[in-house]
Every structure is written in C-alpha cells, then in structure tokens.
Amino acid sequence: MNDPTRDNEASGTEPWQGGLPQGAEPDYTADGMPTFDYVRGKIEQRSATAEANGELAGLGTGRSLADEDKKIADRKQAAKDKLAEIRESMRER
C-alpha cells in the first residue's frame, strides 16, 4: 500500500496540512475515504428511516392499515358532524 507520509518523506516535502483540498467533501478524507462519523451518521439515518417506515406501516405498533383507515374515517365523520352542528347553530341565530 502507498503510505502518503512515507512518500512525502522520500520526496522531502511536508505532509499536507491545509484543510480540505478544493472540491473535496468535508465527510471524506483527502484520500477520498469516508470518515467514521460520516459512515455512522448514514447508518443511524437509515436505521431511523426504516423504523419510521415500519411505524407508518403499522408494523411497530401492532395496528394494521385497516385500523388506521378506520381511525381516519372516524375523524372525518366527527369533523363533518361538528361542522353540521356549527352550521345548525348559526341558522338558529
């Protein structure tokens, strides 16, 4: 393997110490390798996304999509009933 520090020593130049080279992304080393924090962040993000998708699908809560659809339909019906009640009270005035 190429050791950049050994190559620099052999050529008589100092190792590069000026921050990121132009065009390099901050989550990668100068050699183009992703940093540990970057990889850990990607794994945590994917894990959180998978967990959230499972919850949305009802897998993590023990509820099915049919239960969720029924709950939404009940809320819509309750909203319609409340709106009808408000309209009726406005007519009485």
Side-chain angles (χ1 to χ4, degrees):
M1 274 184 16
N2 291 339
D3 182 5
T5 56
R6 188 178 310 157
D7 292 342
N8 288 335
E9 291 170 3
S11 66
T13 61
E14 291 293 318
W16 183 73
Q17 308 217 358
L20 294 173
Q22 188 173 8
E25 296 186 30
D27 295 325
Y28 289 84
T29 64
D31 297 332
M33 298 294 293
T35 62
F36 177 76
D37 289 334
Y38 175 75
V39 173
R40 181 180 56 207
K42 292 291 272 186
I43 292 169
E44 289 174 352
Q45 181 181 12
R46 288 179 183 175
S47 175
T49 300
E51 182 179 343
N53 286 337
E55 288 179 8
L56 288 174
L59 299 176
T61 60
R63 294 182 294 202
S64 69
L65 289 178
D67 292 339
E68 294 299 320
D69 289 341
K70 172 121 175 61
K71 191 187 313 185
I72 290 170
D74 290 346
R75 285 183 188 163
K76 284 184 179 181
Q77 186 59 46
K80 286 180 183 179
D81 293 344
K82 184 66 176 176
L83 183 58
E85 180 184 326
I86 292 170
R87 285 182 177 155
E88 187 62 36
S89 70
M90 296 295 285
R91 287 188 195 135
E92 293 175 2
R93 287 183 177 199

